[in-house]
Amino acid sequence: MVKKVYEDRHEVCSFTDGSRASLDGPDGWAKGCVFYGDNCPNRIRCQQGGGGVMIWGGIIGPFCVPERLKLSSATYCPFLKNSLEPWLDNLPLATLKKIIFMHDNTLSHAAKATMQFLHSLGFVNETLMVWPPNSPDLNPIEDLWSIIKHHVYANGKHYSSKDDLWMAIKESAATIPKSTIKKVTGSVNDRLFEDIKRHRAHVNK
């Protein structure tokens, strides 16, 4: 959805989404060479107790989603209260008035209770970006997840504990310069227009 308000204020738009990071690398993929007849090196896989961590961010954070937490409206609202709300409380009033909040159309996000909670934070009408269903995934937070994971799994690195993995994610996120964040968020309009031009998917104009 392309809005004039968004075009004017993309630098303070909070695009949000979650992602998963596994101990044994992105999506469990690995590469390397093994001599014929040799055994492959042991790897801590999810089904062997390796697992991973679920993370959430919105050009803020990232934040670690509590283990085994199934996101519904009943759990998503308290999660936002503990992560998003403190960040908003520390913003200057002039900046706070310009914030636009975006999340996708997942059931827990679109639920009435979630919408009421976001309204209580001041996100209503043009400050709550509509993300239509069946739309192309143009969320710039995916670019940041890619940057973080590229660093976290550099040189095929694996992790032996979830705490170590989470620490690496936080350290990687802290190194991303503001110029990179501004670049990926500022590219959304161009992505939308390019997708419309190519007729690849449904986009609300």
Side-chain angles (χ1 to χ4, degrees):
M1 177 171 287
V2 183
K3 294 183 178 179
K4 184 64 167 60
V5 64
Y6 169 69
E7 292 171 353
D8 292 340
R9 304 190 294 184
H10 66 261
E11 70 276 6
V12 289
C13 186
S14 184
F15 294 94
T16 73
D17 206 0
S19 185
R20 181 174 176 80
S22 301
L23 295 175
D24 55 353
D27 299 322
W29 285 92
K31 62 181 180 180
C33 297
V34 178
F35 286 104
Y36 182 76
D38 286 352
N39 294 322
C40 291
N42 292 326
R43 302 172 63 233
I44 303 177
R45 294 182 175 276
C46 298
Q47 65 267 31
Q48 297 169 331
V53 296
M54 191 70 188
I55 52 180
W56 179 91
I59 317 300
I60 60 169
F63 300 93
C64 190
V65 178
E67 195 166 3
R68 296 186 179 88
L69 177 68
K70 184 176 180 180
L71 281 183
S72 62
S73 182
T75 56
Y76 183 53
C77 292
F79 180 79
L80 290 180
K81 186 173 182 62
N82 292 328
S83 55
L84 176 65
E85 191 170 12
W87 178 75
L88 294 172
D89 289 341
N90 289 320
L91 289 179
L93 182 59
T95 302
L96 188 62
K97 289 181 178 179
K98 297 179 181 179
I99 291 289
I100 301 171
F101 184 83
M102 170 270 156
H103 59 183
D104 60 29
N105 218 35
T106 302
L107 290 177
S108 60
H109 298 174
K112 183 178 180 180
T114 300
M115 298 300 291
Q116 290 175 339
F117 175 74
L118 290 173
H119 290 174
S120 74
L121 296 181
F123 296 116
V124 62
N125 298 328
E126 63 182 25
T127 62
L128 184 60
M129 185 185 293
V130 177
W131 207 252
N134 304 317
S135 61
D137 192 355
L138 304 175
N139 191 344
I141 192 67
E142 301 299 339
D143 293 285
L144 293 187
W145 293 147
S146 179
I147 293 170
I148 290 172
K149 290 181 180 181
H150 181 77
H151 181 263
V152 167
Y153 298 120
N155 301 313
K157 183 166 183 170
H158 299 160
Y159 296 85
S160 58
S161 75
K162 296 176 185 178
D163 287 341
D164 288 344
L165 174 59
W166 172 231
M167 184 62 66
I169 291 170
K170 290 196 296 182
E171 290 175 352
S172 175
T175 65
I176 300 176
K178 291 182 180 179
S179 58
T180 298
I181 295 175
K182 189 171 183 178
K183 182 178 180 180
V184 297
T185 57
S187 68
V188 174
N189 275 349
D190 289 338
R191 299 185 199 189
L192 287 171
F193 290 127
E194 182 65 25
D195 202 84
I196 292 170
K197 184 173 69 175
R198 296 186 180 187
H199 304 290
R200 289 184 355 204
H202 167 70
V203 179
N204 285 345
K205 293 181 279 186

